[in-house]
Amino acid sequence: MSEGMIRHARDAQGIARVTIDRPAKLNAMTEAMFLQLASIVSGYADDPGLRALVLQGAGERAFVGGADIGVMAGLAGPAEAQRFISAVHAACRSLRDLPVPAIARLQGLALGAGLELAAACDLRLASSAAHLGMPEVVVGIPSVVEASLLPGLIGWGRTRRLLLLGETITGEEAERWGLVERCVAPEALDTALEDWLALLLKNGPAAIRSQKALIRQWESMTPDDGAEAGIPAFARAFEGEEPARMLGAFVARKRR
């Protein structure tokens, strides 16, 4: 177990739970673990019954404490460093490209590459006992790859605080900043997670997939181009039965 592993399972409702399992090392991840995570998440992308994916860390001390410092300290030059950080990016990219929502369950530490993985998810749920940060400059390297998502979440000023000062913030402060969507007491974390999953499961599966794809497009579009991209997406929704069935059920409830 010292090398760490990624555990995963999908339930009958279509919820996949992916667990970074290296609690003795605060779930710090090696290159092999990042590549394994990318492979697992990419595999779920082909599952037509998948409704959501939960990314979590084993134990209560950490979501992901970051990339393994010992491994990074042993990188022998730029070529090895590029290979390692490309594995981090591959894991983050797999979460962004997943066709259904990815939810980060944040307890304990979410630092460096751990926070990048969380930023790559669609929704972030944090314990008030969580601590989040990007301390790479403290050990002589810049924050890169999916750290580029932070300005869209928290703005440029707060991004600069995290990346240039190496500050760590609490789950409660992260919620105030908009870095996480909800922060709850540690004992309420799993209940809050199940509440979110229940809401997702009530929604139209095809609509959710279409919505995530649109949000992904909007990230690199102007508002005008984003609005235009939504028109064919709306029209395509009516190729299937989901709108007629769900709209009809809604109208029927209103008439009662």
Side-chain angles (χ1 to χ4, degrees):
M1 184 63 69
S2 62
E3 292 301 315
M5 64 180 294
I6 313 294
R7 294 187 287 105
H8 63 102
R10 172 202 181 290
D11 66 22
Q13 292 182 297
I15 307 299
R17 297 175 195 265
V18 179
T19 304
I20 293 122
D21 193 352
R22 202 187 184 198
K25 295 288 187 179
L26 298 175
N27 298 323
M29 295 179 66
T30 63
E31 181 180 337
M33 291 175 71
F34 284 115
L35 292 175
Q36 184 187 9
L37 178 60
S39 177
I40 289 168
V41 175
S42 296
Y44 277 119
D46 296 326
D47 180 351
L50 190 70
R51 301 294 303 275
L53 182 145
V54 176
L55 185 64
Q56 58 194 5
E60 293 305 315
R61 297 169 62 206
F63 167 67
V64 174
D68 188 303
I69 293 292
V71 172
M72 288 195 294
L75 294 173
E80 286 193 11
Q82 180 168 330
R83 188 185 70 194
F84 182 87
I85 200 62
S86 295
V88 178
H89 176 50
C92 293
R93 182 68 181 262
S94 69
L95 293 162
R96 298 186 70 205
D97 289 345
L98 190 72
V100 301
I103 301 175
R105 177 193 180 277
L106 305 174
Q107 83 289 7
L109 300 175
L111 303 176
L115 187 51
E116 290 166 24
L117 287 170
C121 290
D122 301 283
L123 295 166
R124 288 154 290 277
L125 176 65
S127 159
S128 57
H131 288 82
L132 300 84
M134 298 294 296
E136 283 89 342
V137 291
V138 176
V139 292
I141 54 177
S143 296
V144 293
V145 292
E146 271 63 26
S148 63
L149 298 174
L150 294 176
L153 294 171
I154 60 176
W156 283 103
R158 285 168 170 166
T159 297
R160 288 185 174 96
R161 277 186 63 178
L162 288 182
L163 271 56
L164 298 177
L165 303 181
E167 286 187 297
T168 298
I169 62 174
T170 65
E172 291 173 339
E173 190 167 12
E175 183 182 37
R176 290 195 295 271
W177 282 22
L179 186 53
V180 303
E181 283 65 53
R182 189 178 178 194
C183 177
V184 297
E187 63 273 16
L189 189 61
D190 286 324
T191 299
L193 175 61
E194 294 306 317
D195 288 345
W196 273 6
L197 292 173
L199 289 173
L200 279 172
L201 289 171
K202 287 197 305 185
N203 297 333
I208 287 289
R209 286 173 175 251
S210 177
Q211 192 67 74
K212 173 156 181 179
L214 271 175
I215 292 170
R216 188 81 166 82
Q217 287 181 271
W218 291 343
E219 289 176 341
S220 57
M221 287 181 167
T222 66
D224 284 345
D225 288 341
E228 290 290 336
I231 294 172
F234 184 84
R236 283 193 300 271
F238 286 82
E239 293 173 357
E241 53 78 36
E242 193 170 281
R245 174 174 53 82
M246 297 187 75
L247 286 166
F250 182 83
V251 170
R253 287 197 302 271
K254 295 287 285 183
R255 286 174 177 166
R256 290 195 197 111

